[in-house]
Amino acid sequence: MSAPVIAIDAMGGDFGPRSIVQASIACLLATPSLHLTLVGQASLLEELIARHSGVDRSRLLVVNATEIITMDDRPSLALRGKPDSSMRVALRLLADGKAQACVSAGNTGALMALSRFVLKTLPGIDRPAMVAAIPTQRGYCQLLDLGANVDCSAENLYQFAVMGSVAAEALGVARPKVALLNVGTEDIKGNQQVKLAASLLQAAPGLNYVGFVEGDGLYRGEADVVVCDGFVGNILLKSSEGLATMIGERIETLFRRNVLSRAVGALAMPLLKRLKADLAPARHNGASFLGLQGIVVKSHGSAGAQGFQSAIQRALIEIQENLPERLHGRLEELL
């Protein structure tokens, strides 16, 4: 396999190019075979790179783009009004074969619209879906969709399940258990779309469908892949991130309350730091757009350098596993 190249939309996210350049250089140091192409305002990016010593510029290129898609821009404006945006240029590098993946922390709606327009979807896929890893008691669960598709048909949910199963296999899960997120585990529970999707999945050959799972069952690790529409998935994801942050802060506050609690906290702090690191949203940052003819990873807009580095690492894994080709082959079997 040739050296992997990832195109980076360097102008997106809450922290902007400074954080993205820092994350990119850290990834290059961690992975000697990796090549990155930063897309954005070239003069600014070159200035930020120059602040870091020992950067291997043979593996770090800069491509100029004169426009930026803001978080407030409508997808229609991104498609028609900003042809030289950093996001679009990065995706074009992927479409033209000059990169094997694209990572962006920019406007999610714009990234999805541009990805579908520039890259197109795989045969048999109506809509791409966003998927990310969620920590559970048994490891991780691949949850999709996370917000790309607010309203979904039963057929959409079926396609998401197939794609999620292949993604989990690529990440090392043998015969992943696939479930539909629902308000109960009984067959009579759920809306019409979920019930119809269950019927389709029960008849799918080679798919390890295990039925419905509730929210608490997701965190118990009852399934390796959990499928829902983007409205539910986005709320669940952000609620999980908020809960993890709140619990960590509450524990720290308790251990600072008095002398005795500080003493106990000093003993427990190594374990608590490890737990906090395991559950930190930054460590699991990076949602993949499954169903495209190319690898696109969306970093959380509020992610700092560590979080953006995780998104780049997810893209690298998908390149190494040749995920689009694996998806294409599996979809031919199941759709």
Side-chain angles (χ1 to χ4, degrees):
M1 178 180 175
S2 60
V5 181
I6 299 176
I8 306 291
D9 170 17
M11 308 306 293
D14 297 348
F15 298 101
R18 185 191 305 272
S19 178
I20 291 173
V21 167
Q22 181 182 343
S24 298
I25 292 173
C27 282
L28 290 174
L29 292 172
T31 310
S33 63
L34 178 63
H35 289 64
L36 297 177
T37 300
L38 301 182
V39 183
Q41 295 177 359
S43 58
L44 173 59
L45 295 176
E46 291 289 0
E47 178 186 336
L48 292 171
I49 293 170
R51 298 177 186 177
H52 298 265
S53 60
V55 179
D56 184 356
R57 290 307 305 268
S58 68
R59 297 192 292 127
L60 182 63
L61 302 180
V62 173
V63 172
N64 190 54
T66 60
E67 297 172 313
I68 300 172
I69 294 174
T70 70
M71 301 304 285
D72 297 325
D73 284 343
R74 293 180 178 273
S76 57
L77 176 62
L79 278 170
R80 294 189 289 270
K82 295 187 176 181
D84 198 43
S85 68
S86 57
M87 186 183 289
R88 187 165 189 158
V89 173
L91 288 167
R92 178 51 60 188
L93 291 173
L94 174 56
D96 292 343
K98 297 177 181 178
Q100 286 81 56
C102 173
V103 180
S104 174
N107 183 317
T108 303
L111 183 61
M112 177 58 78
L114 283 171
S115 296
R116 293 186 67 177
F117 178 77
V118 174
L119 301 173
K120 314 304 181 190
T121 57
L122 290 169
I125 295 298
D126 298 323
R127 301 180 183 181
M130 291 176 64
V131 60
I134 304 296
T136 71
Q137 291 180 16
R138 299 181 182 179
Y140 299 95
C141 165
Q142 300 299 316
L143 176 65
L144 71 166
D145 178 40
L146 297 178
N149 306 280
V150 176
D151 297 307
C152 296
S153 66
E155 289 74 17
N156 295 147
L157 296 175
Y158 173 75
Q159 292 173 10
F160 296 169
V162 173
M163 293 191 294
S165 179
V166 175
E169 289 174 357
L171 294 171
V173 182
R175 193 163 164 74
K177 294 183 288 185
V178 180
L180 285 167
L181 188 63
N182 201 359
V183 295
T185 58
E186 301 87 353
D187 291 340
I188 60 171
K189 295 289 183 68
N191 59 31
Q192 193 66 16
Q193 285 82 4
V194 169
K195 292 177 182 178
L196 289 173
S199 298
L200 294 174
L201 290 170
Q202 286 167 353
L207 198 69
N208 187 16
Y209 175 64
V210 296
F212 295 143
V213 66
E214 295 180 85
D216 56 345
L218 183 156
Y219 292 105
R220 283 197 297 268
E222 294 178 0
D224 303 302
V225 178
V226 173
V227 179
C228 58
D229 63 50
F231 183 86
V232 172
N234 190 270
I235 292 173
L236 176 59
L237 175 67
K238 290 179 179 175
S239 298
S240 302
E241 292 174 345
L243 179 62
T245 301
M246 184 270 290
I247 290 174
E249 291 176 352
R250 284 285 186 93
I251 290 174
E252 290 182 359
T253 300
L254 286 172
F255 281 134
R256 289 196 298 263
R257 180 162 292 178
N258 53 50
V259 175
L260 179 59
S261 61
R262 284 196 292 271
V264 173
L267 295 173
M269 196 53 65
L271 289 176
L272 291 174
K273 285 184 176 179
R274 181 176 175 181
L275 175 63
K276 188 175 182 179
D278 286 343
L279 298 179
R283 182 174 178 181
H284 312 288
N285 180 53
S288 302
F289 284 4
L290 295 182
L292 295 167
Q293 295 187 40
I295 296 168
V296 178
V297 175
K298 171 66 173 69
S299 171
H300 203 303
S302 62
Q306 181 187 358
F308 198 86
Q309 190 175 347
S310 296
I312 295 175
Q313 291 295 338
R314 173 140 190 160
L316 180 60
I317 290 172
E318 293 186 8
I319 292 172
Q320 293 168 340
E321 295 296 333
N322 199 11
L323 188 57
E325 285 299 317
R326 292 181 66 162
L327 271 173
H328 180 57
R330 195 80 172 99
L331 292 171
E332 285 188 330
E333 296 175 16
L334 292 174
L335 298 180

